[in-house]
Amino acid sequence: MLHASRSLIRTSSDLHTSIRNSSSTKHVFACVLGSGVAGSSVAYHLTKRNIKDVLLLERASGVASPSGTSFHSPGLVSASHPAHRYKPILAHSIELYSKLQEETGVNIDFQPTGTIRLATNETRLAEFRKYVNRDYYKEGDVCKTTLLTPDQVRELAPAVDHSKVLGALHTTNDGTISARALTQALVVGAKNGGAQVIDGAIPREIKYDKEKGHWIVALEDGTLVTTRNLINAGGIWANDIARLSGHALPVVVVEHQYAVLTPNKTPENTPAIIDHDSTFYVRKSGDDYLFGGFESLEKTVIREDWYKKGVPTEGSKSIKADFSRLEDAYKRARELIPSLEGAKVDARAAVFSMTPDGYPLVGPYDKNYWMSTGFLDGVSSGGGIGKYLADWIVDGEPPAELFDTDASRYERWGDRKFFTERSRETYSMYYNWSYTDRLAGRPTDRISGIYGRLKKDGASFSFRNGWEVANSFNMGVQNEEFLPTLIREYEMVTNKCGVIDLSWKGKIEVKGKDAEKLMDYAIASQIPPLGKISSGLMLTRHGGILGPMMIFHHDRQRSAFILLTEPERESRDLYWLRRAAAEKKLDVQVSIVSEYLASLALVGPKSREVLSALTKSDVSDEGFPQKSTRMIRLGPVGVVCARSSTSTGQLSYELFHNRAETAKLYNAVMSAGREHGIVNFGQAALNMMRLEHGYKIWGRELTLDTNPFECGIGGLVDFNKKEFIGRESALELSKKQFDRRLALITFDTEEGIVLDDKFVPSGNEVIRIDGKEERVGQITSGAYNVRLQKPIAFAWIDNAVGKDERLVVEIGDKRLFATSLETPTIPPIQ
């Protein structure tokens, strides 16, 4: 299997000789390869951080060349996005674009007309209603999102036949822009800030000088560039650029069909219009419309020939228009917008690069090698992503939680088959926000040794960074709804016992002579001694939560530690730990071991009895206390057994073992547990358990945008340690009063709770004071609480909100009234 890989290549002697002999050598802090929206935005924002030493290289004779992507962009600037954490990126783009013309003098034609997304069926209307419930306006927000009635659609967009829509999602203050002019304005802004720009600059060779710690870029005209930071923003040529330094990117180049439509009469002013079901977009452009769409799965064309042979110099100019691929979308567009009937069609085509999940590659990919490429929405997100990446480069840490765009997220498991199959599906379903459990390219090699058995036993799976994760189990009851099934699964585990496959968890091994020194420096918490397991925190230098994790010291001979993290974060954690080790010049090896170190967890009051039946080791409270680890044999398999109830609140044992032996271990556990009523359970039931005893998790309550003290986990920060990353900032934060609190809340309705998972909060739902529109809080995660027989959730709530205020959350068409819990419904086992 061909994996997306990285390799550091030592500078060859001939390249050193070239540097000495070159009459034109440039030495810069940052070299940006590619001057489309992505590259020019990074350069622009680096200069805004007072970094003048920036070089922007463009392969064409000028920016926004017809051979690239930005030239062909429809210029949609959208503030709506299915991932809540992505919206601040979009908001920054809009703020930037609204003032860029005045700053640079370039007419970028930014028209904040707003955007409407049409709902032509009940499924789409429910999707938009759910979105609005998570996106209520708060004073100071750049854009406001509301749900429109058909009559309101007619008022805002008279061109739309409102009789054919049930409503629409409307966003104010976003709209449209000239992507070509935007690129030029960003370049002008970068130049005004001190950056240099070279057109016609085609890289011939790229090497890393390990001794000097910089990259060397040799251009075809003989110019040499040495740079501390190399940013690949090459768009459709990004993978060709990456190959020059021995890298390969998880991107594909896909064809895109669009057209300029000239209607029979000049179109009225209207917001940009998007139809999620037929996947078309249309916007007014002078006396014309720009129209485009995302072709169906079977019509989507991915240029794998370009991946193998390289993207031709002509790029987008070499693509032939084939408007027939958009025949269905255009037919639907004419039905919804009758004035398009009979319009003259000037069909056009282009290509752009994309990733399998539709998010760009942003951040470090190698030693000071940065990515900003693979955009499906480069104009909408380009401004915000440029600032995000520039801040990361300058400050040495990500400024916000945006793990979706991690440049290394396909490392170790992605292959070309997955990249192409998943990208084709993502492209064809670009506007489908509801259907997230997509099947293309699955399963990958990241399956546990019992994947087939769990699937046979009725498991439904979610997909996390390549892994198949069992979410819940159909226990054989025909036509049973999801929530009753989940409640039965929970009750079986908490009254008897269950086993859950946790092999998908990220696992990093730290070993070597200086392993303890690295752990002490990189982790803000006390490091557990041999035979113990404990919670730990990695902090940013600003005191934010980079990552919570479980840590155990399992091998004194090699001074080896295992850090349990999340699969979406493991590459970022690896990069952070290795950088900390390099900073301190420590003799240590840091590597990801998730592929061969698997784990099963045995949970519930009967779990000790099951364990006792499989081992001669003492597993009593005295012989095997809480938060300790033991190397034991369970039937035919040797395991590192960790006893910790931190995430479950139940008697729990996690069994770490060789992935090749998972099936043998599972069979032994299930056989021994049969008389105790053992069952399979999944992530959904685990989420119910952790919420009922108030356990906070990364990606929900704990993110880069939070700190330990406002989250109520400040006790994990050990100020008795003289030095660790983020100590000074954490000390300041420990003395600070915050304007919000993280609360555990439950819900009621006026007519009583309906046992339906549609009315259980899942995260990001907005909390308001009853009768008021302003947002005063937001849910981070939720589940159904079996003991209380009502939903439960964690939420951030403004401290200005009094405890007697009546708080309301809208989920679907239900209004839920929130009540704070003073203590969790079940205390965790100590």
Side-chain angles (χ1 to χ4, degrees):
M1 184 170 64
L2 177 63
H3 290 269
S5 62
R6 310 184 234 172
S7 62
L8 287 178
I9 303 179
R10 288 182 179 273
T11 306
S12 59
S13 58
D14 60 326
L15 197 55
H16 276 301
T17 302
S18 297
I19 293 174
R20 288 194 298 270
N21 295 338
S22 174
S23 58
S24 177
T25 301
K26 298 181 180 295
H27 306 276
V28 294
F29 173 81
C31 177
V32 185
L33 301 173
S35 67
V37 172
S40 58
S41 179
V42 175
Y44 171 87
H45 284 95
L46 282 170
T47 65
K48 290 298 181 183
R49 291 297 306 271
N50 205 32
I51 304 296
K52 312 293 185 183
D53 205 8
V54 178
L55 180 63
L56 182 60
L57 302 181
E58 168 55 40
R59 65 180 290 120
S61 57
V63 298
S65 163
S67 60
T69 299
S70 296
F71 179 91
H72 300 273
S73 169
L76 298 177
V77 181
S78 176
S80 299
H81 197 280
H84 181 80
R85 58 190 160 269
Y86 208 72
K87 286 185 280 187
I89 294 292
L90 305 178
H92 177 78
S93 291
I94 293 166
E95 286 182 304
L96 172 65
Y97 302 163
S98 66
K99 63 186 180 183
L100 192 61
Q101 181 169 319
E102 182 179 352
E103 177 189 334
T104 64
V106 178
N107 181 10
I108 61 176
D109 194 26
F110 178 49
Q111 302 289 331
T113 56
T115 303
I116 59 172
R117 298 168 183 267
L118 304 177
T120 58
N121 55 58
E122 290 292 346
T123 299
R124 200 64 58 208
L125 188 64
E127 174 183 271
F128 291 162
R129 185 180 291 115
K130 183 177 181 180
Y131 185 92
V132 170
N133 289 343
R134 298 176 172 198
D135 198 42
Y136 267 100
Y137 178 72
K138 187 171 184 178
E139 194 67 35
D141 286 357
V142 176
C143 299
K144 181 178 181 180
T145 304
T146 53
L147 195 62
L148 302 181
T149 65
D151 286 340
Q152 290 171 319
V153 171
R154 178 176 56 184
E155 292 175 15
L156 269 175
V160 175
D161 182 351
H162 73 287
S163 68
K164 290 185 168 62
V165 301
L166 302 180
L169 187 72
H170 176 226
T171 309
T172 62
N173 293 335
D174 60 7
T176 63
I177 200 170
S178 166
R180 303 173 207 174
L182 170 62
T183 306
Q184 292 163 357
L186 289 167
V187 170
V188 169
K191 285 181 175 180
N192 291 344
Q196 303 175 65
V197 179
I198 301 178
D199 293 333
I202 300 176
R204 173 176 52 83
E205 188 175 9
I206 299 174
K207 297 286 186 179
Y208 181 67
D209 189 328
K210 190 173 183 180
E211 293 180 3
K212 295 184 178 179
H214 63 216
W215 289 90
I216 304 169
V217 181
L219 303 182
E220 286 192 350
D221 67 358
T223 301
L224 289 171
V225 179
T226 65
T227 180
R228 175 168 176 76
N229 294 284
L230 186 65
I231 299 105
N232 185 342
I236 59 175
W237 291 281
N239 193 61
D240 293 347
I241 292 170
R243 281 178 168 158
L244 296 176
S245 54
H247 301 82
L249 302 185
V251 294
V252 301
V253 174
V254 61
E255 293 187 5
H256 184 70
Q257 303 294 323
Y258 70 103
V260 176
L261 306 179
T262 304
N264 295 324
K265 63 178 183 177
T266 302
E268 301 178 69
N269 288 330
T270 182
I273 300 169
I274 295 172
D275 181 48
H276 280 218
D277 286 288
S278 56
T279 70
F280 75 75
Y281 58 81
V282 62
R283 57 158 289 199
K284 184 177 180 294
S285 178
D287 293 336
D288 300 320
Y289 285 115
L290 280 179
F291 173 88
F294 293 85
E295 298 97 300
S296 59
L297 193 70
E298 64 276 7
K299 293 181 180 179
T300 299
V301 176
I302 290 176
R303 300 303 301 263
E304 276 299 273
D305 56 329
W306 286 9
Y307 170 78
K308 295 172 183 176
K309 300 176 182 177
V311 177
T313 302
E314 297 80 11
S316 287
K317 291 195 296 182
S318 65
I319 303 300
K320 293 182 179 179
D322 183 3
F323 199 65
S324 66
R325 295 187 205 166
L326 296 180
E327 182 179 359
D328 293 340
Y330 188 46
K331 177 182 177 183
R332 183 57 173 157
R334 297 197 306 275
E335 293 171 355
L336 292 170
I337 309 172
S339 61
L340 295 181
E341 194 67 56
K344 178 185 175 183
V345 178
D346 179 8
R348 302 181 184 185
V351 290
F352 53 79
S353 67
M354 65 172 287
T355 66
D357 58 15
Y359 286 95
L361 303 177
V362 182
Y365 199 65
D366 209 331
K367 179 71 173 178
N368 292 332
Y369 188 117
W370 305 83
M371 299 302 308
S372 186
T373 196
F375 289 85
L376 271 175
D377 63 345
V379 170
S380 291
S381 61
I385 287 291
K387 182 179 187 304
Y388 171 83
L389 184 57
D391 287 345
W392 193 344
I393 292 170
V394 174
D395 296 331
E397 60 189 40
E401 189 61 84
L402 208 61
F403 61 85
D404 316 74
T405 66
D406 187 339
S408 300
R409 62 189 181 273
Y410 297 104
E411 188 88 6
R412 293 170 299 281
W413 63 272
D415 60 15
R416 291 309 300 179
K417 181 176 182 292
F418 176 82
F419 297 157
T420 54
E421 289 183 7
R422 193 53 168 262
S423 295
R424 183 174 283 109
E425 180 186 58
T426 297
Y427 178 85
S428 66
M429 302 180 71
Y430 180 63
Y431 286 132
N432 192 328
W433 291 354
S434 295
Y435 181 53
T436 56
D437 188 26
R438 299 177 180 177
L439 301 178
R442 294 172 57 183
T444 70
D445 285 351
R446 281 191 153 185
I447 56 174
S448 82
I450 54 172
Y451 168 73
R453 171 70 180 272
L454 297 183
K455 189 175 182 180
K456 183 180 178 181
D457 287 347
S460 63
F461 294 89
S462 57
F463 189 71
R464 293 187 62 178
N465 206 44
W467 288 101
E468 296 292 335
V469 179
N471 194 50
S472 63
F473 289 81
N474 181 339
M475 296 186 176
V477 180
Q478 293 295 318
N479 301 318
E480 187 175 41
E481 294 292 330
F482 173 70
L483 194 52
T485 296
L486 188 58
I487 290 171
R488 194 146 43 82
E489 190 175 306
Y490 164 90
E491 289 177 333
M492 290 292 288
V493 176
T494 55
N495 289 314
K496 296 181 179 180
C497 62
V499 63
I500 182 171
D501 184 4
L502 296 177
S503 298
W504 52 270
K505 282 279 190 180
K507 305 171 193 76
I508 298 176
E509 185 177 53
V510 178
K511 66 180 181 180
K513 185 180 72 173
D514 294 331
E516 290 193 43
K517 290 181 181 178
L518 174 60
M519 295 292 292
D520 219 34
Y521 177 60
I523 308 295
S525 314
Q526 190 65 43
I527 307 304
L530 186 69
K532 294 291 183 182
I533 184 170
S534 65
S535 299
L537 283 178
M538 285 200 301
L539 303 180
T540 68
R541 285 173 171 78
H542 290 96
I545 297 176
L546 185 75
M549 53 185 56
M550 297 298 292
I551 305 167
F552 64 90
H553 186 179
H554 74 99
D555 190 335
R556 188 187 300 277
Q557 301 301 317
R558 297 187 303 165
S559 190
F561 296 84
I562 295 293
L563 285 64
L564 304 178
T565 180
E566 302 297 326
E568 298 87 353
R569 212 183 69 219
E570 63 182 5
S571 291
R572 186 175 77 184
D573 290 349
L574 180 72
Y575 174 82
W576 186 265
L577 288 164
R578 285 179 172 174
R579 199 182 71 163
E583 177 190 338
K584 290 293 185 179
K585 296 181 172 57
L586 299 177
D587 182 2
V588 65
Q589 296 83 51
V590 184
S591 55
I592 290 176
V593 296
S594 309
E595 312 307 322
Y596 66 84
L597 183 61
S599 69
L600 302 175
L602 185 59
V603 179
K606 298 289 186 179
S607 57
R608 180 183 282 119
E609 295 173 49
V610 176
L611 206 62
S612 297
L614 290 169
T615 184
K616 296 179 180 179
S617 299
D618 183 1
V619 294
S620 66
D621 274 334
E622 296 76 18
F624 198 169
Q626 177 75 325
K627 296 184 179 180
S628 61
T629 63
R630 299 286 186 272
M631 295 189 72
I632 61 176
R633 178 163 288 277
L634 296 181
V637 181
V639 305
V640 176
C641 182
R643 181 184 170 189
S644 174
S645 304
T646 303
S647 62
T648 64
Q650 305 285 325
L651 180 63
S652 304
Y653 302 90
E654 189 164 357
L655 317 173
F656 297 93
H657 60 281
N658 189 308
R659 183 179 173 187
E661 297 187 303
T662 299
K664 284 194 292 185
L665 178 62
Y666 175 82
N667 290 336
V669 169
M670 294 301 283
S671 177
R674 192 171 295 118
E675 64 180 281
H676 301 290
I678 195 169
V679 295
N680 290 306
F681 73 103
Q683 280 302 293
L686 183 63
N687 189 51
M688 296 170 77
M689 294 178 204
R690 69 99 182 170
L691 276 166
E692 72 178 357
H693 78 275
Y695 181 68
K696 300 149 190 168
I697 61 172
W698 175 80
R700 296 291 189 160
E701 293 74 45
L702 313 177
T703 71
L704 268 171
D705 307 315
T706 64
N707 68 72
F709 307 98
E710 64 176 349
C711 292
I713 57 171
L716 290 178
V717 181
D718 183 12
F719 287 116
N720 292 319
K721 295 167 63 172
K722 293 182 179 179
E723 184 185 23
F724 57 80
I725 296 173
R727 186 181 191 281
E728 186 175 331
S729 296
L731 192 58
E732 290 298 316
L733 287 167
S734 70
K735 302 170 186 176
K736 186 178 177 181
Q737 295 294 315
F738 300 99
D739 58 5
R740 62 177 185 171
R741 62 184 183 272
L742 191 56
L744 198 59
I745 57 179
T746 59
F747 302 90
D748 292 287
T749 65
E750 291 176 337
E751 65 272 18
I753 290 293
V754 178
L755 193 62
D756 190 327
D757 64 288
K758 289 188 296 185
F759 306 120
V760 175
S762 57
N764 293 324
E765 292 86 358
V766 168
I767 300 173
R768 296 173 294 123
I769 296 173
D770 193 18
K772 297 182 180 180
E773 184 184 19
E774 186 175 0
R775 184 174 71 220
V776 297
Q778 199 150 24
I779 289 171
T780 57
S781 58
Y784 186 80
N785 188 290
V786 178
R787 297 169 190 271
L788 296 177
Q789 296 186 8
K790 61 180 68 175
I792 187 173
F794 267 121
W796 287 108
I797 299 176
D798 293 352
N799 277 334
V801 176
K803 291 188 177 181
D804 296 332
E805 297 277 13
R806 193 183 200 199
L807 302 179
V808 65
V809 175
E810 293 185 6
I811 301 178
D813 56 1
K814 288 286 183 183
R815 299 178 79 239
L816 305 185
F817 299 99
T819 303
S820 292
L821 286 173
E822 295 299 324
T823 58
T825 57
I826 175 174
I829 293 175
Q830 299 298 318

